[in-house]
């Protein structure tokens, strides 16, 4: 079909789709060994899309055995980097050729607007291309020794990497984990979220078509407490790369300690502060960006700008600007390319977000707009803004993962920085000001893995993405992520006697 552009085009494409629902193990699509399945549901309609293989420990064990066998065989792990590059570039081309289908799978599975999903596909494809291009440009080292030795520092793949990913950017989070791990020569087992497994399974067939050898890339759909736990506890997994909540990240640290001390990279939650100083030239424009920072992807974003800190002298008019921008961001049919927000991922998340809104009201915050669920079918919530939030309130401290903005006022730079840092999280922070001295001071003092100055969520493949504090310890994207998936081997070569 030609490029879908209208709601009707996307609806027609959705009707024509078929879903791969089986696990991908050792180059074959197979049911879970138990025969169990789980339903994946379209949250915009409440309809079941498909019954998907529900993998568990025996499937994990089988996949790990095949991954280890592939690694030992060496047709990927020892392949020249330039050849691995060609296969991954082929995969990126196939993803591009199928980007509308892949985008649609994510939209149907988790409710985000299709225009956002298309943006995710560009990000996922760019990630595969960047990592593929990096791998034959990453050199080892020769250590500065005397002439009596030649001392080499070699980079080698780790072995078997298990990637466990969330549902909010299903294929893009997958790409951020899988592309560098494959590029470095590892065997990779992917466990997508049980709320959004479909695009990962489609990726598996494209990976096979691109020429990845058998057992090098496998996909195990299923739940966290079953197949996810089994991978995390496996003695045959050398590295666990996780994106998800801080609570599960802490659990995975225990699993790693209880098993083989596998390497563990965690990309976890956030409660990101967005600081607006009164000296900004165009506060209306900043207000629109502040609204986008929280309402993009229905607020289901790890780096959502969920705490808005505004200098008190401009706070009232600034909030009016945010409310005006929010009015134009009401949720709509995710298949409509004009929709800015879609549906919450499922009934549980819908209920959870509404519960936070209720607590915000009960704890005395002032609801300025939104706060409602839209009539069903589907799990929609209007963009919600609370003012008069104090630091102890639940909506000020906890990651809501929904379209709920908490606004605070401040009078001084010191107060703003202290409030921004008063969080167990440290994933992202935004800073809007024209004062270069202030920008330099505040940027350095913010406890955050990334700081956006006069923008929100800026970055491309060249920039690492990750957090500090309880937001995690890993870095996705850029050559830094590629380096995480390789081991250093020190080789000291003496003169032959
Ligand atoms: P989640 O932690 O519930 O689940 C994430 C993944 O872990 C899923 O695949 C799930 O099945 C699996 N899992 C759950 N319990 C497990 C267990 N005991 N053992 C092994 N695996 C287990 O998170 P979610 O609801 O899917 O995603 C939302 C969270 O992800 C938010 O906290 C968000 O901030 C975070 N996130 C972080 C980033 C980042 O880059 N830092 C990016 C996107 C999302």
């Amino acid at each position: 079909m030609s490029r879908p552009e209208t709601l009707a085009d996307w609806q027609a494409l959705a009707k024509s789709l078929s879903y791969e629902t089986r696990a991908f193990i050792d180059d074959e699509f197979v049911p879970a060994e138990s025969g169990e399945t789980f339903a994946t549901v379209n949250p915009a309609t409440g309809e079941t899309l498909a019954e998907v293989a529900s993998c568990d420990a025996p499937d994990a064990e089988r996949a790990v055995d095949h991954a280890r066998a592939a690694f030992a065989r060496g047709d990927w792990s020892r392949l020249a980097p330039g050849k691995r590059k060609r296969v991954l570039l082929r995969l990126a081309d196939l993803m591009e050729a199928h980007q509308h289908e892949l985008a649609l799978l994510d939209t149907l599975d988790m409710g985000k607007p299709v225009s956002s999903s298309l943006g995710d596909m560009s990000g996922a494809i760019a990630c595969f291309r960047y990592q593929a291009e990096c791998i034959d440009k990453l050199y080892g080292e020769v250590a500065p020794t005397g002439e009596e030795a030649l001392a080499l520092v070699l980079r080698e793949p780790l072995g078997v990497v298990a990637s466990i990913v969330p549902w909010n950017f299903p294929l893009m989070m997958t790409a951020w984990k899988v592309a560098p791990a494959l590029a470095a020569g590892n065997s990779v087992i992917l466990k997508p979220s049980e709320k959004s497994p479909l695009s990962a399974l489609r990726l598996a067939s494209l990976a096979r078509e691109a020429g990845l050898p058998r057992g090098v890339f496998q996909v195990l759909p299923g739940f966290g407490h079953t197949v996810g736990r089994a991978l995390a506890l496996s003695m045959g997994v050398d590295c666990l790369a996780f994106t998800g909540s801080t609570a599960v990240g802490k659990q995975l640290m225990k699993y790693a300690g209880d098993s083989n001390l596998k390497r563990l990279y965690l990309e976890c939650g956030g409660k990101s502060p967005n600081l607006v100083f009164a000296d900004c030239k165009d506060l209306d424009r900043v207000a629109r960006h502040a609204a986008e920072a929280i309402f993009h992807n229905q607020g289901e974003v790890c780096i959502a700008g969920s705490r808005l800190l505004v200098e008190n002298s401009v706070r009232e008019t600034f909030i009016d600007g945010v409310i005006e921008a929010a009015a134009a961001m009401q949720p709509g049919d995710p298949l409509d390319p004009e929709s800015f927000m879609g549906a919450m991922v499922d009934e549980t998340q819908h209920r959870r977000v509404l519960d936070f809104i209720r607590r915000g009201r009960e704890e005395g915050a002032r609801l300025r707009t939104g706060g409602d669920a839209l009539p069903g079918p589907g799990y929609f919530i209007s963009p919600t803004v609370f003012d008069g939030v104090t630091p102890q309130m639940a909506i000020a401290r906890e990651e809501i993962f929904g379209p709920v903005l908490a606004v605070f006022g401040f009078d001084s730079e010191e107060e703003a920085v202290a409030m921004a840092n008063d969080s167990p999280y440290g994933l992202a922070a935004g800073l809007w000001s024209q004062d270069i001295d202030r920008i330099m001071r505040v940027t350095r003092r913010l406890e955050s893995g990334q700081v956006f100055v006069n923008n929100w969520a800026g970055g491309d493949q060249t920039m690492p993405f990750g957090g500090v504090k309880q937001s995690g310890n890993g870095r996705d994207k850029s050559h830094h992520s590629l380096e995480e998936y390789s081991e250093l081997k020190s080789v000291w070569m003496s003169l032959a006697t």
Side-chain angles (χ1 to χ4, degrees), residues 266-285:
L266 301 174
E267 307 288 344
C268 298
K271 187 77 184 174
S272 300
N274 197 5
L275 283 61
V276 178
F277 289 90
D279 65 52
C280 288
K281 245 196 317 221
D282 184 350
L283 279 166
D284 286 341
R285 190 181 72 85

Side-chain angles (χ1 to χ4, degrees), residues 40-293:
T40 186
V41 172
N42 178 351
T45 62
E47 286 162 11
T48 295
L49 291 164
E51 288 287 332
V52 178
S54 186
C55 295
D56 205 334
D59 307 287
E61 211 171 295
R62 224 151 57 83
V64 169
D65 286 349
H66 288 298
R68 295 222 72 82
F71 192 76
R73 215 170 51 231
D75 51 2
W76 185 254
S77 56
R78 293 198 295 276
L79 192 65
K83 292 187 175 162
R84 290 206 296 269
K85 168 170 104 173
R86 284 211 289 279
V87 175
L88 292 180
L89 289 177
R90 208 150 51 227
L91 176 54
D93 289 345
L94 284 167
M95 289 168 70
E96 191 164 40
H98 293 275
Q99 61 178 306
H100 297 105
E101 179 193 350
L102 291 166
L104 188 53
L105 288 173
D106 278 355
T107 285
L108 293 172
D109 231 2
M110 60 68 69
K112 70 165 62 190
V114 76
S115 47
S116 294
S117 292
L118 271 177
D120 297 356
M121 293 314 116
S122 304
I125 294 160
C127 180
F128 269 96
R129 291 204 169 117
Y130 181 95
Q131 297 296 340
E133 284 295 351
C134 258
I135 191 61
D136 63 353
K137 295 165 191 72
L138 194 67
Y139 289 76
E141 294 165 10
V142 178
T145 58
E147 277 191 6
E148 73 286 1
L150 184 58
L152 309 177
V153 183
L154 305 182
R155 284 197 171 275
E156 297 188 338
L158 300 170
V160 175
V161 175
S163 308
I164 299 184
V165 297
W167 47 263
N168 61 336
F169 294 89
L171 198 67
M172 199 167 82
M173 292 298 104
T174 291
W176 287 12
K177 297 290 185 225
V178 168
L182 283 176
N186 299 286
S187 297
V188 177
I189 303 172
L190 168 68
K191 195 208 85 62
S193 168
E194 60 278 15
K195 298 181 187 185
S196 60
L198 296 177
S199 60
L201 293 168
R202 184 68 181 104
L203 182 69
S205 59
L206 297 180
R208 181 163 68 179
E209 195 178 333
L212 272 163
R214 62 188 314 126
V216 168
F217 178 56
Q218 305 179 88
V219 183
L220 301 180
F223 292 93
H225 64 275
T226 57
V227 67
R229 178 174 180 275
L231 288 170
L233 281 168
S234 171
M235 299 297 284
V237 170
D238 302 290
C239 169
L240 189 58
F242 170 75
T243 299
S245 61
T246 295
V248 173
K250 288 182 179 182
Q251 185 63 50
L252 296 185
M253 276 200 152
K254 290 191 192 138
Y255 293 155
D258 287 345
S259 53
N260 58 346
L261 276 187
K262 53 180 64 66
R263 263 181 204 227
L264 183 57
Y265 297 125
L266 301 174
E267 307 288 344
C268 298
K271 187 77 184 174
S272 300
N274 197 5
L275 283 61
V276 178
F277 289 90
D279 65 52
C280 288
K281 245 196 317 221
D282 184 350
L283 279 166
D284 286 341
R285 190 181 72 85
V286 179
R288 282 195 300 279
H289 284 290
E292 274 179 25

Side-chain angles (χ1 to χ4, degrees), residues 354-372:
L354 291 173
D355 196 48
F356 271 112
I357 293 173
R358 182 186 54 73
R359 286 168 73 185
R361 282 176 155 141
E362 283 172 8
E363 289 179 353
R366 202 150 56 102
L367 181 66
R368 298 292 302 268
T369 189
D372 313 306

Side-chain angles (χ1 to χ4, degrees), residues 362-389:
E362 283 172 8
E363 289 179 353
R366 202 150 56 102
L367 181 66
R368 298 292 302 268
T369 189
D372 313 306
L374 271 56
Y379 308 116
F380 296 91
I381 295 179
S382 54
T384 299
V385 177
F386 279 106
D387 185 18
V389 182

Side-chain angles (χ1 to χ4, degrees), residues 279-320:
D279 65 52
C280 288
K281 245 196 317 221
D282 184 350
L283 279 166
D284 286 341
R285 190 181 72 85
V286 179
R288 282 195 300 279
H289 284 290
E292 274 179 25
I294 177 65
F295 300 130
H296 169 62
N297 214 51
Q298 312 75 242
E300 295 168 329
V301 183
C302 54
I303 55 163
S306 53
R307 289 189 293 145
L308 179 62
L309 279 53
V310 188
E311 195 161 348
N312 275 326
S313 58
V314 295
R315 195 174 97 209
E316 268 309 315
T317 44
F318 192 82
I319 294 177
D320 289 344

